[in-house]
C-alpha cells in the first residue's frame, strides 16, 4: 500500500512548505505549567487506589478490575470533579446491591464519562461480570461507607492544583489577546465530559463572559 500511495502521495514537512506559503505557519512556543497535588488530593488518590486494589469488592468483579483502576486514575488526573462523579456512581451501585436490586450495568459503564468511551479496549475485557457471591451485609455496608467517605472528601476539596495552573495559563492567553499580540483564544482538550463542564463553570466564575466562553472548545 505504501508503494502504491508513493506514486500520488508525498509527505511534506512544515519546514519544507514554509517558503511557499503567503502566511507562514505560526511559530509554536511551548510553556509548561507544573503543579503538585495538595496533601489532601494525594491522600484521596492513594486511598481510592488502595480501595480498588482490594482482592474482593462488591462494586466490581472479574476482569474489569484493571480497566476500572486505569479509568479512575484517568479521572483523578482529569479533575477532582470527574473523580467525585465516578465515586458517586460507585456508591449508587452499592446502594442498589444493598437494597437487593441488580446493579443494572456491567461496571464498565462507570467509564463512559470519558469521551472515547474506552472503545479501544480489548473486547475480551467486555465480558459480563462474574456471578456475585452471597452478600455479607456488614461487609457491603462497610464498603459503601468507605466510598461515601471518598465522595465527601472529593467534594470538600477546593479547586484542585491542576485547575489553578489552568487558570493561570488562560489568564496569560486573555492578557495577550487584550494587548493585541495574540488572538486571546484557547482550545482546551479533555477526555472527561464532567471535567468539561467543570472547566466551563470555572472560567465563568473567573469572569469569562458567556460570549468569550463560546470561543473556547473543550
Amino acid at each position: 500500500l505504501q508503494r502504491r500511495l508513493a506514486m500520488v502521495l508525498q509527505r511534506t514537512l512544515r519546514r519544507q512548505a514554509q517558503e511557499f506559503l503567503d502566511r507562514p505557519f505560526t511559530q509554536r512556543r511551548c510553556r509548561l505549567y507544573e503543579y503538585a497535588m495538595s496533601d489532601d488530593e494525594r491522600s484521596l488518590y492513594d486511598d481510592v487506589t488502595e480501595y480498588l486494589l482490594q482482592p474482593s469488592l462488591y462494586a466490581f468483579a472479574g476482569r474489569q478490575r484493571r480497566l476500572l483502576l486505569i479509568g479512575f486514575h484517568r479521572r483523578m488526573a482529569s479533575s477532582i470533579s470527574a473523580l467525585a462523579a465516578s465515586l458517586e456512581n460507585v456508591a449508587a451501585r452499592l446502594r442498589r446491591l444493598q437494597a437487593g436490586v441488580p446493579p443494572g450495568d456491567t461496571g464498565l459503564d462507570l467509564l463512559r464519562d470519558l469521551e472515547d468511551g474506552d472503545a479501544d479496549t480489548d473486547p475480551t475485557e467486555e465480558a459480563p461480570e462474574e456471578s456475585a457471591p452471597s452478600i455479607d451485609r456488614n461487609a457491603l455496608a462497610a464498603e459503601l461507607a468507605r466510598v461515601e467517605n471518598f465522595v465527601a472528601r472529593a467534594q470538600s476539596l477546593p479547586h484542585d492544583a491542576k485547575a489553578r495552573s489552568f487558570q493561570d495559563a488562560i489568564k496569560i492567553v486573555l492578557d495577550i489577546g487584550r494587548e493585541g499580540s495574540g488572538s486571546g483564544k484557547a482550545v482546551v482538550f479533555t477526555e472527561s465530559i464532567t471535567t468539561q463542564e467543570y472547566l466551563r463553570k470555572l472560567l465563568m466564575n473567573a469572569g469569562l463572559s458567556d460570549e468569550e466562553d463560546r470561543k473556547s472548545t473543550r
Side-chain angles (χ1 to χ4, degrees):
L1 180 59
Q2 284 182 322
R3 288 195 301 269
R4 294 172 63 185
L5 287 175
M7 301 172 58
V8 294
L9 179 65
Q10 182 176 354
R11 184 183 179 193
T12 303
L13 302 178
R14 286 168 59 95
R15 64 173 180 271
Q16 296 171 318
Q18 192 86 337
E19 61 180 295
F20 302 105
L21 300 176
D22 294 331
R23 298 180 59 186
F25 290 115
T26 300
Q27 183 180 2
R28 292 193 228 179
R29 289 175 291 180
C30 180
R31 180 179 297 185
L32 297 179
Y33 289 81
E34 295 186 0
Y35 67 93
M37 287 184 182
S38 67
D39 291 342
D40 288 339
E41 288 177 85
R42 171 56 66 181
S43 175
L44 177 60
Y45 183 93
D46 291 342
D47 289 348
V48 170
T49 299
E50 182 184 4
Y51 162 69
L52 292 170
L53 289 176
Q54 294 298 305
S56 178
L57 292 174
Y58 286 107
F60 317 114
R63 302 176 187 179
Q64 302 171 358
R65 296 290 297 280
R66 181 175 64 85
L67 284 178
L68 288 162
L69 179 60
I70 293 172
F72 270 80
H73 279 177
R74 287 168 67 182
R75 280 157 182 72
M76 175 66 89
S78 183
S79 69
I80 294 294
S81 180
L83 178 68
S86 293
L87 288 169
E88 286 177 334
N89 289 337
V90 175
R93 199 164 194 266
L94 290 170
R95 291 188 197 102
R96 289 195 294 271
L97 286 173
Q98 197 174 48
V101 179
D105 56 40
T106 66
L108 288 175
D109 290 333
L110 297 174
L111 300 178
R112 301 311 180 196
D113 172 62
L114 301 180
E115 287 187 341
D116 60 13
D118 289 90
D120 295 331
T121 55
D122 185 343
T124 61
E125 298 283 5
E126 296 287 344
E129 289 190 8
E130 297 172 355
S131 299
S134 58
I135 293 178
D136 181 326
R137 293 291 175 181
N138 292 331
L140 177 57
E143 183 175 337
L144 175 57
R146 188 176 187 182
V147 174
E148 288 176 333
N149 175 260
F150 293 153
V151 174
R153 287 166 60 185
Q155 292 177 339
S156 69
L157 290 173
H159 293 318
D160 54 67
K162 186 177 182 181
R164 291 191 292 272
S165 293
F166 168 74
Q167 286 178 301
D168 292 340
I170 291 296
K171 184 178 183 300
I172 290 176
V173 171
L174 294 176
D175 288 344
I176 290 175
R178 294 187 188 102
E179 294 168 0
S181 53
S183 67
K185 298 179 181 180
V187 179
V188 182
F189 295 92
T190 177
E191 288 184 304
S192 168
I193 298 172
T194 303
T195 297
Q196 173 181 312
E197 179 60 21
Y198 167 67
L199 293 180
R200 188 189 73 83
K201 291 179 179 178
L202 193 69
L203 293 174
M204 296 291 285
N205 291 337
L208 192 69
S209 70
D210 188 52
E211 181 179 352
E212 289 175 305
D213 187 52
R214 292 195 192 101
K215 295 178 183 177
S216 299
T217 302
R218 299 177 181 81

